[in-house]
Structures are given as C-alpha cells and as structure tokens.
Amino acid sequence: MVDINKVWDKARPQLESQLGKVVYDTWISPLSPSSMRQDTLVLQAPDSFFKDWVEKHYKGAIRAAVQQTNKKQFEVELTADSAPLAKSALSQPPKEGRHRSAEISESSSLNPRYTFENFVIGPSNRHAHAYSLAVAESPAKAYNPLFIYGGVGLGKTHLIQAICHHIKNNRGQNAKICYIPSERFTNELIDAIQRHSTSAFRQKYRNADILVIDDIHFIAGKESTQEEFFHTFNTLYDAHKQIVICSDRPPKEIANLQDRLVSRFGWGLTTDIQPPDLETRVAILKKKIEREPVSVPDDVIFFIAQLIKTNIRELEGALIRTIAYSLLEEKPITLSLAQEVLKDLLKEPKKLITVDFIQRCVAEEFGVSLHDLKTKRRQKTVVLPRQVAMYISRELTELSLPEIGECFGGKDHTTVLHSCNKIKDLLNSNPEFKDRVERVINTIQQ
C-alpha cells in the first residue's frame, strides 16, 4: 500500500527549491495529503480559495515534482478542507493605458523592510498573508477590495506595504500605486478644500491603479472625508482598479462609518490577523536577529517571546532594548541580562479593561450579538444589555460619557447618563438582576 505521506514528503523539498520559500510557505506548506485514489494523490487545501489558486498556478509544478521524486506517473487532485468562502466580486484586468514605469505615490511612507520575504508566517496570519500575496501577484483580478483587520502591532501595515513593494519590484507592474494612511487622506482633503484644489486631489487618487489605505477607521465620524472616499472608491472599483484597506476592527464594528461604505468594504474579502502564538513569536525574533550584529541565545529568545504575547512591535522592541544594552555595556547577552533590562515588563500589569471586552462579556451573558449593542435597535431584549454595558463601562474604565457613547454607535452623553442611572435603580430594587450584573463584572475583572 502506498504511503501518501512519504509520497508528498519526497516532493516537498523540490517544490520549495523550485518555487522559492515565500511561495512554498504560502501555498504549498498548508497542503496535506488526504488519500490516494488509484494513482491520484489527493491533496487537501485549507479552503476553496487555496484550492482554486493552487490549481490555477501550481498544480503542474506539484504534479511534476511528485512524479519526478517518486519515479511514478502519479496524478494530483486538490480538495477544499472547509466550505468554500463566499465568492468575492471579481474584477477584470485593468484596461491598458499608455505605458509608464511603476511609481508609488507617498513612497517615502513605505518601510523598505516591510516585504513578503521579511514577513513571518504563522497560524495567526497565514490566510491574511496568502490573500495579500494573491492580490499582489494579480491586482484587481483576485479579491477587490481586500480588507485586513486586527489589533495594534500584529502586521497589518507590513502586509499592505508588502503588496506595494511586490507590485513595484517583483512583478515590474506598469501601475500607479498610491499608499496613504487615512489620516493623511483627511488632512489632504482639508487642505485641498482650503486651497480650492479639490479637483487636483481627486485626480491624484482616482487615477491610481492600486489604492492602499492604512487605518481606515480614522475616517469614522468625518462626514466630508467619508463622502469623498465613497466616490473615490466607486470610481476605482468601476474602473477595475485594486483597493486594499486595513483597520483595527471589521467594517461592521467601526462606529460612525456610513452604511454604504460598510457595504462596499464587504464586496471583496475581509480577513483578520490574530496575536501570534509562541512558535511564531520565536520565529519573528529569530528573523529580527538576522539583521543584528550580535548573537542571541535561545533561552533569551524564548524568555522574550513568553514575556510579550500580543504586540509584535513591543516584542521586537524588547529584543532591541536587550541588544542595545549589551552593546552599550559591552556585556554578552544572557538570560540574567535580559531579565534585568526588561524587569519593568516582568511586573504583573494591571489588567486593561476595554469597552470592547465589556461589550463582549455582556453580550454573552444576555444572549445578544455584539453588533446589536452598537446599533439603534430599541427592542427590550437589546436595550437593557446595552444599558448594562454602558453602566459597567463607566464603572470600570476611565472614559468620559461622550467617549463611552462613541463605542455604542455614537450615542450622546445624555443617553449614556440615563442608562447608567437606570441600571443603578434596577440594582437597588432587583436582587436577581444585581447578581447577574455582578457576575458579569467578576468575569470582566478576572
């Protein structure tokens, strides 16, 4: 009986050598052998997107590698592990215009280190990386728009800048690439209005072939900016131009963002990046050390990786602090030295309680959706949990009433105050309700 794992393992090294490490890690490594049907090796992809992409771009190379390394005429078939992703709105290739060399607007904002080659792939970011690479290899042909979201310091900016670098350097694309943080987009719009030069502003962005917007959540609540971006989005999308957007939260959770923008952001693919696991954090640190002039022992690497778990910037910052201290004091890097340098991080931090976490705990306790807490729905089953979440937010955070209101879909401060007073009255008059709210508070503070 044929051992399918051995058949596949023989082909792997040849595929990595032939396709390169980035392509191999992104598209080949996630594949796993699932069965052998006569002389057909069946490989399982993580989802239907992987299956379709690998079939189109790499199936021939896989078949050849399997046949050559096993010295047998195997065929290859691909299947998807899970239900297919919702089919995105596919765009057609950009219309050919006059020939021009690739250029990047706001290129000074691009970090030269933010490339796909320098991005460390792990379970927490594998899909976001794969989709970004797919867009970079085929702008406006795969997912449009591509919307990436995740917490601070997890690699969103790295990925969207890597798309720009890849199009400019790796593919030699004759394209005009425009990368800009949304805050700068807003500032430029304000400046254009003041200088009566809005036509030049619009021409700059609406003539782009690839528009990449960082931190789109900053346009929330800015009506003029949203209006301008809405029309810019429509112009580019209708012209089959690629749009890439990133945010710290999914579109539906961005308060004070127009519904029509939320809808358009969902036309393509939305994917997230989660905090990296221990193995990925170790790999990130080792990648960082490759560019440093010192050697860092493994026990120090694991110490830093276990110390900082949720923010890659802080993770790399802790490594840089340790290296800098070692060079300054002319001491070798040891575990005791790292512990001394990072002793401020070893102290048990006070738990940071956010409104988002409060909302999630309340939603789970009362059996409502997180989205409902942020909408204007007036059903009793939604209003009471929303008021509870506002009350707890006032009790456990330092936010002002208007700031709390912003987290609940833009409620004003009087609404928040009324909600807090109502919950206080209920706590005094209803022991069962009081026990329920205290249970939520205990869960939040644990």
Side-chain angles (χ1 to χ4, degrees), residues 399-426:
L399 296 180
S400 65
L401 295 178
E403 288 172 330
I404 293 173
E406 282 296 314
C407 298
F408 288 84
K411 302 290 189 298
D412 61 40
H413 73 283
T414 57
T415 301
V416 179
L417 183 60
H418 169 76
S419 298
C420 293
N421 291 335
K422 182 175 180 180
I423 297 302
K424 284 180 182 179
D425 292 340
L426 284 172

mmCIF file of all heavy atoms in Angstrom, residues 399-426:
data_model
loop_
_atom_site.group_PDB
_atom_site.id
_atom_site.type_symbol
_atom_site.label_atom_id
_atom_site.label_comp_id
_atom_site.label_asym_id
_atom_site.label_seq_id
_atom_site.Cartn_x
_atom_site.Cartn_y
_atom_site.Cartn_z
ATOM 1 N N LEU A 399 -13.040 56.274 30.706
ATOM 2 C CA LEU A 399 -13.597 57.021 29.590
ATOM 3 C C LEU A 399 -14.689 57.986 30.052
ATOM 4 O O LEU A 399 -15.410 57.710 31.017
ATOM 5 C CB LEU A 399 -14.174 56.058 28.544
ATOM 6 C CG LEU A 399 -13.192 55.116 27.850
ATOM 7 C CD1 LEU A 399 -13.926 54.238 26.839
ATOM 8 C CD2 LEU A 399 -12.073 55.887 27.171
ATOM 9 N N SER A 400 -14.808 59.091 29.341
ATOM 10 C CA SER A 400 -15.872 60.056 29.615
ATOM 11 C C SER A 400 -17.188 59.541 29.040
ATOM 12 O O SER A 400 -17.215 58.584 28.241
ATOM 13 C CB SER A 400 -15.539 61.407 28.997
ATOM 14 O OG SER A 400 -15.500 61.307 27.573
ATOM 15 N N LEU A 401 -18.290 60.179 29.416
ATOM 16 C CA LEU A 401 -19.597 59.770 28.879
ATOM 17 C C LEU A 401 -19.661 59.860 27.355
ATOM 18 O O LEU A 401 -20.153 58.925 26.700
ATOM 19 C CB LEU A 401 -20.709 60.615 29.517
ATOM 20 C CG LEU A 401 -20.919 60.431 31.034
ATOM 21 C CD1 LEU A 401 -22.023 61.365 31.525
ATOM 22 C CD2 LEU A 401 -21.273 58.995 31.360
ATOM 23 N N PRO A 402 -19.172 60.959 26.740
ATOM 24 C CA PRO A 402 -19.180 61.006 25.267
ATOM 25 C C PRO A 402 -18.332 59.912 24.633
ATOM 26 O O PRO A 402 -18.701 59.347 23.595
ATOM 27 C CB PRO A 402 -18.618 62.400 24.957
ATOM 28 C CG PRO A 402 -18.913 63.220 26.167
ATOM 29 C CD PRO A 402 -18.762 62.264 27.314
ATOM 30 N N GLU A 403 -17.192 59.597 25.261
ATOM 31 C CA GLU A 403 -16.325 58.543 24.710
ATOM 32 C C GLU A 403 -17.007 57.182 24.802
ATOM 33 O O GLU A 403 -16.890 56.355 23.887
ATOM 34 C CB GLU A 403 -14.996 58.528 25.460
ATOM 35 C CG GLU A 403 -14.100 59.718 25.131
ATOM 36 C CD GLU A 403 -12.873 59.798 26.017
ATOM 37 O OE1 GLU A 403 -12.945 59.350 27.184
ATOM 38 O OE2 GLU A 403 -11.845 60.328 25.555
ATOM 39 N N ILE A 404 -17.700 56.942 25.896
ATOM 40 C CA ILE A 404 -18.450 55.681 26.012
ATOM 41 C C ILE A 404 -19.546 55.635 24.949
ATOM 42 O O ILE A 404 -19.764 54.613 24.293
ATOM 43 C CB ILE A 404 -19.055 55.547 27.431
ATOM 44 C CG1 ILE A 404 -17.935 55.372 28.466
ATOM 45 C CG2 ILE A 404 -20.020 54.359 27.493
ATOM 46 C CD1 ILE A 404 -18.413 55.405 29.904
ATOM 47 N N GLY A 405 -20.239 56.758 24.767
ATOM 48 C CA GLY A 405 -21.287 56.811 23.756
ATOM 49 C C GLY A 405 -20.784 56.480 22.366
ATOM 50 O O GLY A 405 -21.474 55.812 21.578
ATOM 51 N N GLU A 406 -19.569 56.947 22.027
ATOM 52 C CA GLU A 406 -18.977 56.657 20.715
ATOM 53 C C GLU A 406 -18.815 55.160 20.496
ATOM 54 O O GLU A 406 -18.928 54.666 19.370
ATOM 55 C CB GLU A 406 -17.611 57.339 20.591
ATOM 56 C CG GLU A 406 -17.676 58.826 20.303
ATOM 57 C CD GLU A 406 -18.313 59.116 18.964
ATOM 58 O OE1 GLU A 406 -17.951 58.458 17.973
ATOM 59 O OE2 GLU A 406 -19.195 59.988 18.894
ATOM 60 N N CYS A 407 -18.550 54.419 21.573
ATOM 61 C CA CYS A 407 -18.343 52.968 21.468
ATOM 62 C C CYS A 407 -19.654 52.211 21.286
ATOM 63 O O CYS A 407 -19.642 51.004 21.034
ATOM 64 C CB CYS A 407 -17.617 52.455 22.707
ATOM 65 S SG CYS A 407 -15.974 53.157 22.951
ATOM 66 N N PHE A 408 -20.765 52.900 21.448
ATOM 67 C CA PHE A 408 -22.073 52.266 21.297
ATOM 68 C C PHE A 408 -22.837 52.861 20.117
ATOM 69 O O PHE A 408 -24.025 53.163 20.204
ATOM 70 C CB PHE A 408 -22.877 52.407 22.591
ATOM 71 C CG PHE A 408 -22.373 51.544 23.715
ATOM 72 C CD1 PHE A 408 -21.329 51.988 24.517
ATOM 73 C CD2 PHE A 408 -22.899 50.283 23.941
ATOM 74 C CE1 PHE A 408 -20.844 51.196 25.550
ATOM 75 C CE2 PHE A 408 -22.418 49.486 24.965
ATOM 76 C CZ PHE A 408 -21.381 49.937 25.772
ATOM 77 N N GLY A 409 -22.124 53.057 19.024
ATOM 78 C CA GLY A 409 -22.775 53.523 17.804
ATOM 79 C C GLY A 409 -23.034 55.011 17.767
ATOM 80 O O GLY A 409 -23.911 55.477 17.037
ATOM 81 N N GLY A 410 -22.277 55.783 18.567
ATOM 82 C CA GLY A 410 -22.413 57.236 18.511
ATOM 83 C C GLY A 410 -23.516 57.797 19.392
ATOM 84 O O GLY A 410 -24.071 58.862 19.087
ATOM 85 N N LYS A 411 -23.845 57.113 20.504
ATOM 86 C CA LYS A 411 -24.851 57.647 21.429
ATOM 87 C C LYS A 411 -24.291 58.914 22.099
ATOM 88 O O LYS A 411 -23.095 59.014 22.371
ATOM 89 C CB LYS A 411 -25.183 56.613 22.505
ATOM 90 C CG LYS A 411 -25.710 55.280 21.963
ATOM 91 C CD LYS A 411 -27.091 55.429 21.389
ATOM 92 C CE LYS A 411 -27.697 54.079 21.044
ATOM 93 N NZ LYS A 411 -26.961 53.341 20.025
ATOM 94 N N ASP A 412 -25.167 59.879 22.403
ATOM 95 C CA ASP A 412 -24.683 61.090 23.070
ATOM 96 C C ASP A 412 -24.565 60.862 24.573
ATOM 97 O O ASP A 412 -25.030 59.853 25.116
ATOM 98 C CB ASP A 412 -25.587 62.289 22.761
ATOM 99 C CG ASP A 412 -27.024 62.090 23.227
ATOM 100 O OD1 ASP A 412 -27.219 61.535 24.330
ATOM 101 O OD2 ASP A 412 -27.944 62.482 22.495
ATOM 102 N N HIS A 413 -23.944 61.819 25.266
ATOM 103 C CA HIS A 413 -23.617 61.613 26.672
ATOM 104 C C HIS A 413 -24.868 61.536 27.551
ATOM 105 O O HIS A 413 -24.868 60.850 28.588
ATOM 106 C CB HIS A 413 -22.685 62.719 27.170
ATOM 107 C CG HIS A 413 -23.353 64.048 27.347
ATOM 108 N ND1 HIS A 413 -23.656 64.873 26.279
ATOM 109 C CD2 HIS A 413 -23.797 64.699 28.460
ATOM 110 C CE1 HIS A 413 -24.245 65.965 26.731
ATOM 111 N NE2 HIS A 413 -24.327 65.889 28.045
ATOM 112 N N THR A 414 -25.954 62.210 27.135
ATOM 113 C CA THR A 414 -27.182 62.150 27.938
ATOM 114 C C THR A 414 -27.793 60.751 27.911
ATOM 115 O O THR A 414 -28.342 60.283 28.916
ATOM 116 C CB THR A 414 -28.211 63.177 27.418
ATOM 117 O OG1 THR A 414 -28.474 62.924 26.026
ATOM 118 C CG2 THR A 414 -27.687 64.593 27.588
ATOM 119 N N THR A 415 -27.675 60.078 26.774
ATOM 120 C CA THR A 415 -28.172 58.699 26.674
ATOM 121 C C THR A 415 -27.383 57.780 27.597
ATOM 122 O O THR A 415 -27.955 56.912 28.276
ATOM 123 C CB THR A 415 -28.068 58.199 25.221
ATOM 124 O OG1 THR A 415 -28.828 59.049 24.368
ATOM 125 C CG2 THR A 415 -28.583 56.770 25.098
ATOM 126 N N VAL A 416 -26.062 57.959 27.617
ATOM 127 C CA VAL A 416 -25.213 57.138 28.486
ATOM 128 C C VAL A 416 -25.555 57.397 29.955
ATOM 129 O O VAL A 416 -25.679 56.466 30.760
ATOM 130 C CB VAL A 416 -23.723 57.428 28.223
ATOM 131 C CG1 VAL A 416 -22.840 56.595 29.153
ATOM 132 C CG2 VAL A 416 -23.377 57.135 26.764
ATOM 133 N N LEU A 417 -25.705 58.666 30.313
ATOM 134 C CA LEU A 417 -26.024 59.026 31.698
ATOM 135 C C LEU A 417 -27.368 58.439 32.122
ATOM 136 O O LEU A 417 -27.504 57.890 33.233
ATOM 137 C CB LEU A 417 -26.029 60.544 31.847
ATOM 138 C CG LEU A 417 -26.280 61.083 33.263
ATOM 139 C CD1 LEU A 417 -25.199 60.585 34.223
ATOM 140 C CD2 LEU A 417 -26.316 62.608 33.253
ATOM 141 N N HIS A 418 -28.364 58.551 31.249
ATOM 142 C CA HIS A 418 -29.687 57.973 31.539
ATOM 143 C C HIS A 418 -29.578 56.467 31.754
ATOM 144 O O HIS A 418 -30.198 55.905 32.676
ATOM 145 C CB HIS A 418 -30.640 58.282 30.386
ATOM 146 C CG HIS A 418 -31.935 57.522 30.474
ATOM 147 N ND1 HIS A 418 -32.929 57.855 31.348
ATOM 148 C CD2 HIS A 418 -32.364 56.422 29.783
ATOM 149 C CE1 HIS A 418 -33.944 57.000 31.217
ATOM 150 N NE2 HIS A 418 -33.631 56.129 30.267
ATOM 151 N N SER A 419 -28.786 55.794 30.905
ATOM 152 C CA SER A 419 -28.623 54.340 31.018
ATOM 153 C C SER A 419 -27.980 53.972 32.347
ATOM 154 O O SER A 419 -28.413 53.026 33.023
ATOM 155 C CB SER A 419 -27.773 53.817 29.862
ATOM 156 O OG SER A 419 -28.405 54.064 28.620
ATOM 157 N N CYS A 420 -26.954 54.708 32.736
ATOM 158 C CA CYS A 420 -26.255 54.417 33.994
ATOM 159 C C CYS A 420 -27.187 54.607 35.189
ATOM 160 O O CYS A 420 -27.203 53.788 36.122
ATOM 161 C CB CYS A 420 -25.029 55.323 34.133
ATOM 162 S SG CYS A 420 -23.733 54.986 32.919
ATOM 163 N N ASN A 421 -27.973 55.673 35.184
ATOM 164 C CA ASN A 421 -28.909 55.936 36.286
ATOM 165 C C ASN A 421 -29.994 54.860 36.373
ATOM 166 O O ASN A 421 -30.382 54.434 37.467
ATOM 167 C CB ASN A 421 -29.548 57.309 36.122
ATOM 168 C CG ASN A 421 -28.551 58.436 36.342
ATOM 169 O OD1 ASN A 421 -27.547 58.258 37.037
ATOM 170 N ND2 ASN A 421 -28.812 59.597 35.756
ATOM 171 N N LYS A 422 -30.455 54.405 35.190
ATOM 172 C CA LYS A 422 -31.489 53.373 35.171
ATOM 173 C C LYS A 422 -30.970 52.058 35.745
ATOM 174 O O LYS A 422 -31.657 51.374 36.511
ATOM 175 C CB LYS A 422 -31.998 53.156 33.741
ATOM 176 C CG LYS A 422 -33.119 52.119 33.667
ATOM 177 C CD LYS A 422 -33.698 52.008 32.276
ATOM 178 C CE LYS A 422 -34.813 50.954 32.259
ATOM 179 N NZ LYS A 422 -35.425 50.811 30.919
ATOM 180 N N ILE A 423 -29.744 51.702 35.385
ATOM 181 C CA ILE A 423 -29.163 50.460 35.894
ATOM 182 C C ILE A 423 -28.934 50.553 37.397
ATOM 183 O O ILE A 423 -29.160 49.574 38.140
ATOM 184 C CB ILE A 423 -27.851 50.127 35.150
ATOM 185 C CG1 ILE A 423 -28.130 49.881 33.669
ATOM 186 C CG2 ILE A 423 -27.167 48.911 35.773
ATOM 187 C CD1 ILE A 423 -29.119 48.770 33.384
ATOM 188 N N LYS A 424 -28.508 51.710 37.884
ATOM 189 C CA LYS A 424 -28.331 51.886 39.330
ATOM 190 C C LYS A 424 -29.648 51.640 40.061
ATOM 191 O O LYS A 424 -29.682 50.987 41.121
ATOM 192 C CB LYS A 424 -27.821 53.291 39.618
ATOM 193 C CG LYS A 424 -26.351 53.507 39.303
ATOM 194 C CD LYS A 424 -25.941 54.934 39.632
ATOM 195 C CE LYS A 424 -24.475 55.179 39.286
ATOM 196 N NZ LYS A 424 -24.063 56.588 39.577
ATOM 197 N N ASP A 425 -30.744 52.171 39.526
ATOM 198 C CA ASP A 425 -32.055 51.969 40.144
ATOM 199 C C ASP A 425 -32.435 50.488 40.153
ATOM 200 O O ASP A 425 -32.954 49.973 41.152
ATOM 201 C CB ASP A 425 -33.120 52.770 39.387
ATOM 202 C CG ASP A 425 -32.943 54.275 39.551
ATOM 203 O OD1 ASP A 425 -32.261 54.690 40.523
ATOM 204 O OD2 ASP A 425 -33.466 55.033 38.703
ATOM 205 N N LEU A 426 -32.178 49.807 39.056
ATOM 206 C CA LEU A 426 -32.501 48.378 38.979
ATOM 207 C C LEU A 426 -31.661 47.560 39.946
ATOM 208 O O LEU A 426 -32.145 46.590 40.546
ATOM 209 C CB LEU A 426 -32.298 47.876 37.542
ATOM 210 C CG LEU A 426 -33.370 48.245 36.515
ATOM 211 C CD1 LEU A 426 -32.937 47.840 35.117
ATOM 212 C CD2 LEU A 426 -34.693 47.573 36.870
#
